[in-house]
Amino acid sequence: MNLKKHVKLGLSALALSISFNSVAAEDPIKVGILHSLSGTMAISESTLKDTMLMLIEKQNAAGGILGRQLEPVVVDPASNWPLFAEKARELLAQEKVDVIFGNWTSVSRKSVLPVVEELNGLLFYPVQYEGEESSENVFYTGAAPNQQAIPAVNYLMNNIGVERWVLAGTDYVYPRTTNKILETYLKDKGVAAEDIMINYTPFGHSNWQSIVSDIKQFGSAGKKTAVVSTINGDANVPFYRELANQGIDAADIPVVAFSVGEQELSGIDTAPLVGHLAAWNYFMSVESDANYDFIDAWVEYTGKEDAVTNDPMEAHYIGFNMYVEAVKKAGTTDVDAVKDAIIGVSVPNLTGGFATMMPNHHITKPVLIGEIQDNGQFSVVWETPSTVAGDAWSDFLPGSKDLISDWRKPLFCGNFNVVAGTCGGAAKVASE
């Protein structure tokens, strides 16, 4: 082969390589959205799908990430917990998404967890949960119990003088584990076993007459009584309605809810709920420039002047912006590189401060307690003076109090026992 021909072939190969690399660089970043758009959890989750679409649209308008546009891939797991796993596998194995934002219930997250670990995916989970879990593939942007449940109980005990406790929840892992933590915590605080009532109901439960009657009877013993509610989904509407039917208002037996926000109150008669409480890390009524901008963007995106925002939406706002910053920091969407880059990333929250991703894959959050108003909004009655870092493992469960999670090398462990000095495994999940 003569030199001229050899050079021409070499230049052609180089041009082809550059062309392929340019195409690859311009491939979209695929974002999986794994939220129920039908079934009992659609009342809560469908809004989170729209939140993600809005955030992606805004990021694309700003040039995407690393010069690449983002492409949403939406699936509907339909409030079917095994289907969540199937849809997660579809997103990762078939659609080849770079990241997933999704889930609401813990049982759905636990269904997805082995899939994202097997296929080395990234999952941003935006809802308060029971803790007792740390995975290198999951980023928990909702509240851990020390960022919601424990502060709420402290408020009821110290500010309202509650002495008797009804722990009412939907029958799945989040309420059961959270209530196990709260029961231990209350007993450690000197609350007698007979002053704690625990009740579980199935998803979509609608006949609350006998249960509310039991709550009313439990609260008639002469001690201030409150309900700590981990009731999820559309079962909340008939629950509060039955409280009102039986003449129980917030002055008699206040309810503090962990899964009732502005979205759940939207479009229902809030009269029976006025004065009851919710513990979150964000309320739409928070006064900050960042929140006003977010609300304006949401109203414009939905085209609805009465559109509401809520806590899990803020969690997706935080998680999405953390992902964007981590990809920029890593210079790639490579999963392992993003996992390394995201620890320590701080982005604005919507309450006027910042959220930071901690080594245990949980974030820092303020804790707010709000009182339900007749317009379906919340008036903040108490808040922490600063942000609180989320604990993956509870200080109030015997098997967890000595565990920490730190996904930085060299420790790189989800459940390191500080007493034994050993790692129990890459990830540990509480039993259901």
Side-chain angles (χ1 to χ4, degrees), residues 17-63:
S17 173
I18 291 170
S19 175
F20 277 133
N21 287 338
S22 297
V23 170
E26 293 169 3
D27 282 348
I29 296 172
K30 299 183 78 172
V31 180
I33 302 174
L34 184 64
H35 282 300
S36 295
L37 310 180
S38 56
T40 188
M41 292 308 301
I43 185 176
S44 298
E45 291 194 69
S46 56
T47 299
L48 298 185
K49 178 265 294 183
D50 291 331
T51 302
M52 286 306 305
L53 293 178
M54 178 185 75
L55 293 170
I56 290 168
E57 183 180 284
K58 181 180 177 184
Q59 190 65 36
N60 282 338

Side-chain angles (χ1 to χ4, degrees), residues 415-432:
N415 57 344
F416 184 82
N417 190 306
V418 296
V419 175
T422 58
C423 180
K428 180 179 178 180
V429 180
S431 58
E432 299 189 21

Side-chain angles (χ1 to χ4, degrees), residues 317-361:
Y317 168 86
I318 291 169
F320 179 77
N321 288 329
M322 283 184 166
Y323 177 73
V324 170
E325 292 305 313
V327 170
K328 290 178 181 177
K329 183 178 170 183
T332 176
T333 56
D334 176 77
V335 168
D336 291 329
V338 172
K339 284 189 290 190
D340 287 342
I342 200 169
I343 293 174
V345 165
S346 290
V347 299
N349 60 28
L350 294 180
T351 56
F354 284 83
T356 302
M357 181 62 70
M358 305 303 287
N360 63 2
H361 287 188

